[in-house]
Amino acid sequence: MSGVVAGPDGGLRCPWGLSTADYVAYHDTEWGRPVHGDDALYERLCLEAFQSGLSWLTILRRREGFRTAFAGFEIAAVAEFGAPDVERLLADEGIIRNRAKIEATLANAKTLAGWRAGELDALVWSHAPEPGRAPRSTTEIPAVTPESTALAKALKKAGIRFVGPTTAYALMQACGLVNDHLARCVARGPAA
């Protein structure tokens, strides 16, 4: 089952978007919609990094815990975190307690705090590809693209940690740089 599937309301959706109530809401209202703003993109970048090796549902269900633990993902606030905060975060059951991911989140905030306002937004969005044909099945959706590889390299070169081409592509999907909702999916929009 890799094409669109009818949901309880009769609307056609990407199959993953119907697997849990959490996914229905995320799929229908958030995934693939354009996200702008340095703090908002920093949050998504951090959450995608925490997701690495885990299910996105695990992250989605803990997102409010992450937001509380990481000061709403305000770059300036997280940039002030230090060693005591790392220990506090490692004890926080509301998040994924992975030292490397926590330390990368803090290091990335410190790096981004030195950037001009809008610089992260501009860097991320400069890697958005031209819109393509809507995928008809999940088998047509890549895990990595030349653009996600270039974005990962640009972020790494700028000092951002824990981001590779697959994480960069997941970020691009989540933040609307690409629209990987399947053709005929209700969340794809009027051009479906």
Side-chain angles (χ1 to χ4, degrees):
M1 177 179 2
S2 59
V4 289
V5 178
D9 62 358
L12 299 176
R13 289 180 177 79
C14 304
W16 68 267
L18 289 169
S19 60
T20 71
D22 294 316
Y23 272 164
V24 172
Y26 179 69
H27 170 272
D28 287 3
T29 64
E30 192 172 344
W31 190 75
R33 304 213 190 264
V35 173
H36 286 281
D38 294 341
D39 289 341
L41 288 167
Y42 169 67
E43 174 183 359
R44 299 327 188 283
L45 183 63
C46 293
L47 293 177
E48 293 296 346
F50 273 101
Q51 185 272 329
S52 181
L54 302 171
S55 155
W56 177 247
L57 189 58
T58 300
I59 302 305
L60 191 58
R61 288 180 172 163
R62 293 179 185 219
R63 185 160 53 171
E64 289 309 315
F66 277 107
R67 286 176 173 164
T68 299
F70 288 100
F73 289 101
E74 292 179 23
I75 294 168
V78 180
E80 298 297 321
F81 285 18
D85 294 293
V86 171
E87 297 310 314
R88 171 183 61 81
L89 293 164
L90 285 169
D92 189 332
E93 294 181 6
I95 67 169
I96 304 303
R97 296 173 290 175
N98 177 297
R99 181 178 292 276
K101 293 175 182 182
I102 290 169
E103 289 176 348
T105 299
L106 274 55
N108 291 343
K110 290 179 189 332
T111 296
L112 293 170
W115 291 21
R116 294 181 316 277
E119 194 171 352
L120 176 60
D121 190 290
L123 173 66
V124 169
W125 278 91
S126 72
H127 290 83
E130 290 296 318
R133 179 182 69 81
R136 298 205 174 283
S137 75
T138 55
T139 60
E140 294 179 19
I141 299 173
V144 173
T145 64
E147 294 86 0
S148 73
T149 301
L151 175 57
K153 285 181 183 177
L155 288 167
K156 284 181 183 179
K157 184 177 180 184
I160 303 300
R161 294 171 35 187
F162 225 102
V163 61
T166 303
T167 298
Y169 193 69
L171 175 75
M172 293 169 79
Q173 290 174 304
C175 294
L177 280 76
V178 295
N179 185 349
D180 277 344
H181 285 287
L182 300 180
R184 300 178 37 225
C185 174
V186 296
R188 186 163 179 85

